[in-house]
Amino acid sequence: MTRTLYLFGSAAPPVFDVARVIEDAQSGGWDVCLGLTPTAADWLGEGLDGLAALTGHPVRSSYKRPGDPDVWPAADAVLVAPATFNTINAWALGLTDRFIVGVVAEGIGKGIPLAVMPCVNAAYVQHRAFERSVRELREMGVTVLYGEGGFVPNLPGQGRKEAYPWDLALTAMDDLVPKREA
């Protein structure tokens, strides 16, 4: 049986690899629904139709209108990656003006398995709000893939999107929601 993964991405360079990540998740038995921050959706602009075709679901970057049907199946798990400084802090504070942050904030209360892997540089992590937000999310039961065994920040301007540890993120999702037997 297929598991449904909501893959949510922020505007950080690894988001440009999202098609490959979707294919890897699909080969691991996930039905993937892609959600993006508005800026990430703008970055991927012309490729959004192709990503929708790849997943079989519309790519979303905004809330649906009240009364409109939900176009995605229910999530078995949610992965927020890459997650920017802004996305992580907004989530920890419960600032839900953006679709993906609203879904994961509500997901905590619904008991949906949630994981996040930051993509921030070493300058951002010096801001006290970042560590506070990581701690808050962990205390709320979110798997935060940061530090040893997860994302390790680079110096500003020295990040390499190909070094982003997507494999760790997908493995974490399989650990949170193991494959179901048919």
Coordinates of all heavy atoms in Angstrom, one line a residue, residues 46-118:
E46 N 8.3 27.9 -14.2 CA 8.0 27.2 -15.5 C 8.0 25.7 -15.3 O 7.4 25.0 -16.1 CB 8.9 27.6 -16.6 CG 8.8 29.1 -17.0 CD 9.8 29.5 -18.0 OE1 10.5 28.6 -18.6 OE2 9.9 30.7 -18.2
G47 N 8.6 25.2 -14.3 CA 8.6 23.7 -14.1 C 7.5 23.2 -13.2 O 7.4 21.9 -13.0
L48 N 6.6 24.0 -12.7 CA 5.6 23.6 -11.8 C 4.6 22.6 -12.5 O 4.2 21.6 -11.9 CB 4.8 24.8 -11.2 CG 5.6 25.7 -10.3 CD1 4.7 26.8 -9.8 CD2 6.2 24.9 -9.1
D49 N 4.3 22.8 -13.8 CA 3.4 21.9 -14.5 C 4.0 20.5 -14.6 O 3.4 19.5 -14.4 CB 3.0 22.4 -15.8 CG 2.0 23.6 -15.8 OD1 1.4 23.8 -14.7 OD2 1.9 24.3 -16.8
G50 N 5.3 20.5 -14.8 CA 6.0 19.2 -14.9 C 6.1 18.5 -13.6 O 6.0 17.3 -13.5
L51 N 6.2 19.3 -12.5 CA 6.2 18.7 -11.2 C 4.9 18.1 -10.8 O 4.7 17.1 -10.2 CB 6.7 19.7 -10.1 CG 8.2 20.1 -10.3 CD1 8.5 21.3 -9.4 CD2 9.1 18.9 -9.9
A52 N 3.8 18.8 -11.2 CA 2.5 18.3 -11.0 C 2.2 17.0 -11.7 O 1.6 16.1 -11.2 CB 1.4 19.4 -11.4
A53 N 2.7 17.0 -13.0 CA 2.6 15.7 -13.8 C 3.4 14.6 -13.1 O 2.9 13.5 -13.1 CB 3.1 16.0 -15.2
L54 N 4.5 14.9 -12.6 CA 5.4 13.9 -11.9 C 4.7 13.3 -10.7 O 4.7 12.1 -10.5 CB 6.7 14.5 -11.6 CG 7.7 13.6 -10.8 CD1 8.1 12.4 -11.7 CD2 9.0 14.4 -10.5
T55 N 4.1 14.2 -9.9 CA 3.4 13.7 -8.7 C 2.0 13.2 -8.9 O 1.5 12.4 -8.1 CB 3.4 14.8 -7.6 OG1 2.5 15.9 -8.1 CG2 4.7 15.3 -7.2
G56 N 1.4 13.7 -10.0 CA 0.0 13.4 -10.2 C -1.0 14.2 -9.3 O -2.2 13.9 -9.3
H57 N -0.4 15.2 -8.7 CA -1.2 16.1 -7.9 C -0.8 17.6 -8.2 O 0.3 17.8 -8.5 CB -0.9 15.9 -6.4 CG -1.1 14.5 -5.9 ND1 -2.4 14.0 -5.7 CD2 -0.3 13.5 -5.6 CE1 -2.3 12.7 -5.4 NE2 -1.0 12.4 -5.3
P58 N -1.7 18.5 -8.0 CA -1.3 19.9 -8.2 C -0.3 20.3 -7.2 O -0.3 19.9 -6.1 CB -2.6 20.7 -8.0 CG -3.7 19.8 -7.6 CD -3.1 18.4 -7.6
V59 N 0.6 21.2 -7.6 CA 1.6 21.8 -6.7 C 0.9 22.9 -6.0 O 0.3 23.7 -6.7 CB 2.9 22.3 -7.5 CG1 3.8 23.0 -6.5 CG2 3.5 21.1 -8.2
R60 N 1.0 23.0 -4.7 CA 0.3 24.1 -4.0 C 1.3 25.0 -3.3 O 2.3 24.5 -2.7 CB -0.6 23.4 -2.9 CG -1.7 22.7 -3.6 CD -2.7 22.1 -2.6 NE -3.3 23.2 -1.8 CZ -4.1 22.9 -0.7 NH1 -4.2 21.7 -0.3 NH2 -4.6 23.9 -0.1
S61 N 1.0 26.3 -3.3 CA 1.8 27.3 -2.5 C 0.9 28.2 -1.8 O 1.3 29.2 -1.2 CB 2.7 28.0 -3.4 OG 2.0 28.7 -4.4
S62 N -0.4 28.0 -1.8 CA -1.4 28.8 -1.1 C -2.5 28.0 -0.6 O -2.8 26.9 -1.0 CB -1.9 29.9 -2.0 OG -2.6 29.4 -3.1
Y63 N -3.2 28.5 0.4 CA -4.4 27.9 1.0 C -5.5 27.7 0.0 O -5.6 28.6 -0.9 CB -4.9 28.7 2.2 CG -4.0 28.6 3.4 CD1 -3.2 29.7 3.8 CD2 -4.1 27.5 4.2 CE1 -2.5 29.7 4.9 CE2 -3.3 27.5 5.4 CZ -2.5 28.6 5.7 OH -1.7 28.5 6.9
K64 N -6.3 26.7 0.1 CA -7.5 26.6 -0.7 C -8.6 27.5 -0.1 O -8.5 27.9 1.1 CB -8.0 25.2 -0.8 CG -8.5 24.6 0.5 CD -9.0 23.1 0.3 CE -9.6 22.6 1.6 NZ -10.9 23.2 2.0
R65 N -9.6 27.9 -0.9 CA -10.7 28.7 -0.4 C -11.6 27.8 0.5 O -11.8 26.6 0.2 CB -11.4 29.3 -1.5 CG -10.7 30.3 -2.3 CD -11.5 31.0 -3.4 NE -10.8 32.0 -4.0 CZ -10.8 32.2 -5.3 NH1 -11.6 31.5 -6.1 NH2 -10.1 33.1 -5.9
P66 N -12.2 28.4 1.5 CA -13.2 27.7 2.3 C -14.3 27.1 1.4 O -14.8 27.8 0.5 CB -13.8 28.8 3.2 CG -12.7 29.8 3.3 CD -12.1 29.8 2.0
G67 N -14.6 25.9 1.6 CA -15.6 25.2 0.8 C -15.1 24.5 -0.4 O -15.8 23.6 -0.9
D68 N -13.9 24.8 -0.9 CA -13.3 24.1 -2.0 C -12.8 22.7 -1.5 O -12.4 22.5 -0.4 CB -12.1 24.9 -2.5 CG -12.4 26.1 -3.4 OD1 -13.7 26.3 -3.6 OD2 -11.5 26.8 -3.8
P69 N -13.0 21.7 -2.4 CA -12.5 20.4 -2.0 C -11.0 20.3 -1.9 O -10.3 21.1 -2.5 CB -13.0 19.5 -3.2 CG -13.1 20.5 -4.4 CD -13.5 21.8 -3.8
D70 N -10.5 19.4 -1.1 CA -9.1 19.2 -0.9 C -8.7 18.4 -2.1 O -9.3 17.3 -2.4 CB -8.8 18.5 0.4 CG -7.3 18.8 0.8 OD1 -6.5 19.1 -0.1 OD2 -7.0 18.6 2.0
V71 N -7.6 18.8 -2.8 CA -7.2 18.1 -4.0 C -6.1 17.1 -3.7 O -5.6 16.4 -4.6 CB -6.7 19.1 -5.1 CG1 -7.9 20.0 -5.6 CG2 -5.6 20.0 -4.6
W72 N -5.7 17.0 -2.5 CA -4.6 16.0 -2.1 C -5.2 15.0 -1.2 O -6.1 15.3 -0.4 CB -3.5 16.7 -1.3 CG -2.6 17.6 -2.1 CD1 -2.5 17.8 -3.4 CD2 -1.5 18.4 -1.5 NE1 -1.5 18.6 -3.8 CE2 -0.9 19.0 -2.6 CE3 -1.1 18.6 -0.3 CZ2 0.2 19.8 -2.4 CZ3 0.0 19.4 -0.1 CH2 0.7 20.0 -1.1
P73 N -4.7 13.7 -1.2 CA -5.1 12.8 -0.2 C -4.5 13.2 1.2 O -3.6 14.0 1.2 CB -4.4 11.5 -0.7 CG -3.3 11.9 -1.6 CD -3.7 13.2 -2.2
A74 N -5.0 12.6 2.2 CA -4.5 12.9 3.6 C -3.0 12.4 3.7 O -2.6 11.4 3.1 CB -5.3 12.1 4.6
A75 N -2.3 13.2 4.4 CA -0.8 12.9 4.6 C -0.6 11.8 5.6 O -1.2 11.8 6.7 CB -0.1 14.1 5.0
D76 N 0.3 10.9 5.3 CA 0.8 10.0 6.3 C 2.0 10.6 7.0 O 2.3 10.2 8.2 CB 1.2 8.6 5.7 CG 0.0 7.9 5.1 OD1 -0.9 7.6 6.0 OD2 -0.1 7.6 3.9
A77 N 2.7 11.5 6.4 CA 3.8 12.2 7.0 C 4.1 13.4 6.1 O 3.7 13.5 5.0 CB 5.1 11.3 6.9
V78 N 4.8 14.4 6.8 CA 5.2 15.6 6.1 C 6.7 15.8 6.3 O 7.2 15.7 7.4 CB 4.5 16.8 6.7 CG1 4.8 18.1 5.9 CG2 3.0 16.6 6.6
L79 N 7.4 16.1 5.2 CA 8.8 16.5 5.3 C 8.9 17.9 4.8 O 8.5 18.3 3.7 CB 9.7 15.6 4.4 CG 11.1 16.0 4.1 CD1 11.9 16.0 5.4 CD2 11.8 15.1 3.1
V80 N 9.5 18.8 5.6 CA 9.8 20.2 5.2 C 11.3 20.3 4.9 O 12.1 20.3 5.8 CB 9.4 21.2 6.3 CG1 9.5 22.6 5.8 CG2 7.9 21.0 6.7
A81 N 11.6 20.4 3.6 CA 13.0 20.4 3.2 C 13.1 20.9 1.8 O 12.3 20.4 1.0 CB 13.7 19.0 3.4
P82 N 14.0 21.8 1.5 CA 14.8 22.5 2.4 C 13.9 23.5 3.2 O 13.0 24.1 2.6 CB 15.8 23.3 1.5 CG 15.1 23.4 0.2 CD 14.2 22.2 0.1
A83 N 14.3 23.7 4.4 CA 13.6 24.7 5.3 C 14.5 25.8 5.6 O 15.6 25.7 6.2 CB 13.1 24.0 6.6
T84 N 14.1 27.0 5.2 CA 14.9 28.2 5.5 C 14.7 28.7 6.9 O 13.9 28.2 7.7 CB 14.4 29.4 4.6 OG1 13.0 29.6 4.8 CG2 14.7 29.0 3.1
F85 N 15.6 29.6 7.3 CA 15.6 30.3 8.6 C 14.1 30.8 8.8 O 13.6 30.6 9.9 CB 16.6 31.4 8.5 CG 16.7 32.3 9.8 CD1 17.4 31.8 10.9 CD2 16.1 33.6 9.8 CE1 17.5 32.6 12.0 CE2 16.3 34.4 10.9 CZ 17.0 33.9 12.0
N86 N 13.6 31.5 7.9 CA 12.2 32.1 8.0 C 11.2 31.0 8.2 O 10.3 31.1 9.1 CB 11.9 32.9 6.8 CG 10.6 33.7 6.9 OD1 10.4 34.4 7.9 ND2 9.7 33.5 6.0
T87 N 11.2 29.9 7.5 CA 10.2 28.8 7.6 C 10.3 28.2 9.0 O 9.3 28.0 9.6 CB 10.4 27.8 6.5 OG1 10.1 28.5 5.2 CG2 9.5 26.6 6.7
I88 N 11.5 27.9 9.4 CA 11.7 27.2 10.7 C 11.2 28.1 11.9 O 10.4 27.7 12.8 CB 13.1 26.8 10.9 CG1 13.4 25.7 10.0 CG2 13.4 26.5 12.4 CD1 14.9 25.3 9.9
N89 N 11.5 29.4 11.8 CA 11.1 30.3 12.9 C 9.6 30.6 12.8 O 9.0 30.6 13.9 CB 11.9 31.6 12.8 CG 13.3 31.5 13.2 OD1 13.7 30.7 14.1 ND2 14.2 32.2 12.5
A90 N 9.0 30.7 11.7 CA 7.6 30.9 11.5 C 6.8 29.7 12.1 O 5.8 29.9 12.8 CB 7.2 31.2 10.1
W91 N 7.3 28.5 11.8 CA 6.7 27.3 12.3 C 6.7 27.2 13.8 O 5.7 27.0 14.4 CB 7.3 26.1 11.6 CG 6.7 24.8 11.9 CD1 5.6 24.5 12.6 CD2 7.2 23.5 11.5 NE1 5.3 23.1 12.7 CE2 6.3 22.5 12.0 CE3 8.3 23.1 10.8 CZ2 6.6 21.1 11.8 CZ3 8.6 21.8 10.5 CH2 7.7 20.8 11.0
A92 N 7.9 27.4 14.4 CA 8.0 27.4 15.8 C 7.2 28.4 16.5 O 6.7 28.1 17.6 CB 9.5 27.5 16.2
L93 N 7.0 29.5 15.9 CA 6.2 30.6 16.5 C 4.7 30.4 16.2 O 3.8 31.2 16.7 CB 6.6 32.0 16.0 CG 8.0 32.4 16.6 CD1 8.5 33.7 15.9 CD2 7.9 32.6 18.1
G94 N 4.3 29.6 15.2 CA 2.9 29.4 14.9 C 2.4 30.5 14.0 O 1.2 30.8 14.0
L95 N 3.3 31.1 13.2 CA 2.9 32.1 12.2 C 2.5 31.5 10.9 O 3.3 31.1 10.1 CB 4.0 33.1 12.0 CG 4.6 33.7 13.3 CD1 5.8 34.6 13.0 CD2 3.5 34.5 14.0
T96 N 1.2 31.3 10.7 CA 0.7 30.5 9.6 C 0.1 31.2 8.4 O -0.8 30.8 7.8 CB -0.4 29.6 10.2 OG1 -1.5 30.4 10.7 CG2 0.1 28.7 11.3
D97 N 0.7 32.4 8.1 CA 0.3 33.1 6.9 C 0.7 32.4 5.6 O 0.1 32.7 4.6 CB 0.8 34.5 6.9 CG 2.3 34.6 6.9 OD1 3.0 33.8 7.6 OD2 2.9 35.5 6.3
R98 N 1.6 31.5 5.6 CA 2.0 30.7 4.5 C 1.4 29.3 4.6 O 1.5 28.7 5.6 CB 3.5 30.7 4.3 CG 4.0 32.0 3.8 CD 5.5 32.1 3.7 NE 6.1 31.9 5.0 CZ 7.2 31.3 5.2 NH1 7.9 30.7 4.3 NH2 7.7 31.2 6.5
F99 N 1.0 28.8 3.4 CA 0.3 27.5 3.4 C 1.1 26.4 4.0 O 0.6 25.6 4.9 CB 0.1 27.1 1.9 CG -0.3 25.7 1.6 CD1 -1.5 25.2 2.1 CD2 0.6 24.9 0.9 CE1 -1.9 23.9 1.8 CE2 0.2 23.6 0.7 CZ -1.0 23.1 1.1
I100 N 2.4 26.2 3.6 CA 3.1 25.1 4.2 C 3.3 25.2 5.7 O 3.3 24.1 6.4 CB 4.5 24.8 3.4 CG1 5.5 25.9 3.7 CG2 4.3 24.6 2.0 CD1 6.9 25.5 3.3
V101 N 3.5 26.4 6.2 CA 3.7 26.5 7.6 C 2.4 26.2 8.4 O 2.3 25.6 9.4 CB 4.2 27.9 8.0 CG1 4.3 28.1 9.5 CG2 5.6 28.1 7.4
G102 N 1.3 26.6 7.8 CA 0.0 26.4 8.4 C -0.3 24.9 8.4 O -0.8 24.4 9.5
V103 N 0.0 24.1 7.4 CA -0.2 22.7 7.4 C 0.6 22.0 8.5 O 0.1 21.1 9.2 CB 0.0 22.1 6.0 CG1 0.0 20.6 6.0 CG2 -1.0 22.6 5.0
V104 N 1.9 22.3 8.6 CA 2.7 21.6 9.5 C 2.4 22.1 11.0 O 2.5 21.3 11.9 CB 4.2 21.7 9.2 CG1 4.5 20.9 8.0 CG2 4.7 23.2 9.1
A105 N 2.0 23.3 11.2 CA 1.6 23.8 12.5 C 0.4 23.0 13.0 O 0.3 22.5 14.1 CB 1.4 25.3 12.5
E106 N -0.6 22.8 12.1 CA -1.8 22.1 12.4 C -1.4 20.6 12.5 O -2.0 19.8 13.3 CB -2.8 22.3 11.3 CG -4.1 21.6 11.6 CD -5.2 21.9 10.6 OE1 -4.8 21.9 9.4 OE2 -6.4 22.1 11.0
G107 N -0.5 20.1 11.7 CA 0.0 18.7 11.8 C 0.5 18.3 13.1 O 0.3 17.1 13.5
I108 N 1.0 19.2 13.9 CA 1.5 18.9 15.2 C 0.3 18.4 16.1 O 0.3 17.4 16.7 CB 2.2 20.0 15.9 CG1 3.6 20.3 15.2 CG2 2.4 19.8 17.4 CD1 4.3 21.6 15.6
G109 N -0.8 19.2 16.0 CA -2.0 18.9 16.8 C -2.7 17.6 16.3 O -3.4 17.0 17.1
K110 N -2.6 17.3 15.0 CA -3.2 16.2 14.4 C -2.4 14.9 14.6 O -2.9 13.8 14.3 CB -3.4 16.4 12.9 CG -4.5 17.4 12.6 CD -4.7 17.5 11.1 CE -5.8 18.3 10.6 NZ -6.0 18.4 9.2
G111 N -1.2 15.0 15.1 CA -0.4 13.8 15.3 C 0.2 13.3 14.1 O 0.6 12.1 14.1
I112 N 0.4 14.0 13.0 CA 1.0 13.6 11.8 C 2.5 13.5 12.0 O 3.1 14.5 12.5 CB 0.6 14.5 10.6 CG1 -0.9 14.5 10.4 CG2 1.4 14.1 9.3 CD1 -1.4 15.6 9.4
P113 N 3.2 12.5 11.6 CA 4.6 12.4 11.7 C 5.2 13.5 10.8 O 4.9 13.7 9.7 CB 5.0 11.1 11.2 CG 3.8 10.2 11.4 CD 2.6 11.2 11.2
L114 N 6.1 14.4 11.5 CA 6.6 15.5 10.8 C 8.2 15.5 11.0 O 8.7 15.2 12.0 CB 6.1 16.8 11.5 CG 4.6 17.0 11.5 CD1 4.2 18.1 12.5 CD2 4.1 17.3 10.1
A115 N 8.8 15.9 9.9 CA 10.3 16.1 9.9 C 10.6 17.3 9.2 O 10.0 17.7 8.2 CB 11.0 14.9 9.3
V116 N 11.7 18.0 9.6 CA 12.2 19.2 8.9 C 13.7 19.1 8.8 O 14.4 18.6 9.7 CB 11.8 20.5 9.7 CG1 12.3 20.5 11.1 CG2 12.2 21.7 8.9
M117 N 14.3 19.5 7.7 CA 15.7 19.6 7.5 C 16.0 21.0 7.0 O 15.7 21.4 5.9 CB 16.2 18.5 6.5 CG 17.8 18.5 6.5 SD 18.5 17.0 5.8 CE 17.9 17.1 4.2
P118 N 16.7 21.8 7.9 CA 17.0 23.1 7.5 C 18.0 23.2 6.4 O 18.7 22.2 6.0 CB 17.7 23.7 8.8 CG 17.4 22.7 9.9 CD 17.1 21.4 9.2

